[in-house]
Amino acid sequence: MKMFILASVLVTSCSGVKKQNTKYIHTSEVKAVSDIHSAKRQNLKGLLTIEDLNHEFKMRIEVSGLKPNAQHGIHIHEKGFCEGPDYKSAGAHFNPHNKAHGHPGVSNRHLGDLGNIETDKNGVGKKEIILPKTNTDDLSLLIGKSVLINADPDNLTSEPSGNSGDRIACGLIKPVN
């Protein structure tokens, strides 16, 4: 597994939305990233990286500042807006193939269904997700969307969002140049 290094610098906060400017030194496999932040929880920070492989997407998520020893639903949403504090501006789960709500690893699911991230005793969560692609999926579908973390676990079945509670953190998915 190749390593990547990130250096993140916080920029000003505006209208309840914390913006970040991040510089990445990475391997060529990382094609998109998202800085995850929270309008209400200043210590909540995270990073999503996406690799576009032949028949799948490989996503790595690392988040700190969440509730310790808990699970939180995580999803890609249809719009690229992260306006706090409720992040309703991100719209619904990203579902370009009009599928049922589900979990990673099955084909009958929203493309944005990423399951749950589990935290340790310090409120840090790390997860690697492999998402299978259909013939029409490519990285351009994910660029410009938002990734959100919810307050509660996703039950992986309830429509439309797994009953995962309030949206507590958000990040925009951007290409790596």
Side-chain angles (χ1 to χ4, degrees):
M1 180 171 10
K2 296 183 180 180
M3 302 293 290
F4 64 91
I5 301 169
L6 76 103
S8 181
V9 179
L10 292 178
V11 181
T12 60
S13 181
C14 173
S15 304
V17 179
K18 188 176 291 184
K19 298 179 182 178
Q20 293 181 336
N21 180 15
T22 306
K23 296 179 182 175
Y24 300 89
I25 302 169
H26 57 85
T27 65
S28 61
E29 288 85 5
V30 175
K31 301 296 183 189
V33 295
S34 178
D35 284 315
I36 301 168
H37 59 275
S38 177
K40 290 183 177 179
R41 302 176 185 193
Q42 297 218 354
N43 66 331
L44 199 163
K45 296 175 179 62
L47 178 70
L48 166 75
T49 61
I50 303 174
E51 295 179 41
D52 190 0
L53 307 175
N54 284 335
H55 302 290
E56 59 197 14
F57 297 112
K58 181 190 260 183
M59 299 183 181
R60 288 188 187 100
I61 303 162
E62 185 168 345
V63 183
S64 62
L66 290 169
K67 181 179 174 183
N69 301 312
Q71 288 187 351
H72 297 272
I74 187 162
H75 309 95
I76 295 173
H77 284 248
E78 64 187 349
K79 297 179 183 173
F81 297 107
C82 284
E83 296 173 5
D86 62 8
Y87 303 115
K88 298 288 186 191
S89 61
H93 287 189
F94 184 50
N95 189 13
H97 308 302
N98 201 27
K99 302 276 186 167
H101 182 71
H103 60 86
V106 299
S107 59
N108 188 30
R109 58 151 173 79
H110 303 161
L111 187 56
D113 289 339
L114 303 182
N116 292 304
I117 190 164
E118 190 169 331
T119 60
D120 64 16
K121 65 181 180 179
N122 298 313
V124 174
K126 296 179 184 180
K127 183 172 186 170
E128 184 172 287
I129 304 165
I130 304 295
L131 294 179
K133 292 192 237 182
T134 70
N135 292 338
T136 58
D137 293 340
D138 66 20
L139 188 61
S140 67
L141 289 175
L142 301 177
I143 301 293
K145 305 297 184 234
S146 54
V147 60
L148 280 97
I149 297 176
N150 296 87
D152 300 322
D154 184 332
N155 67 21
L156 309 175
T157 57
S158 297
E159 292 294 342
S161 62
N163 198 31
S164 52
D166 292 338
R167 301 169 181 193
I168 60 171
C170 185
L172 301 178
I173 300 172
K174 300 175 186 176
V176 173
N177 297 329

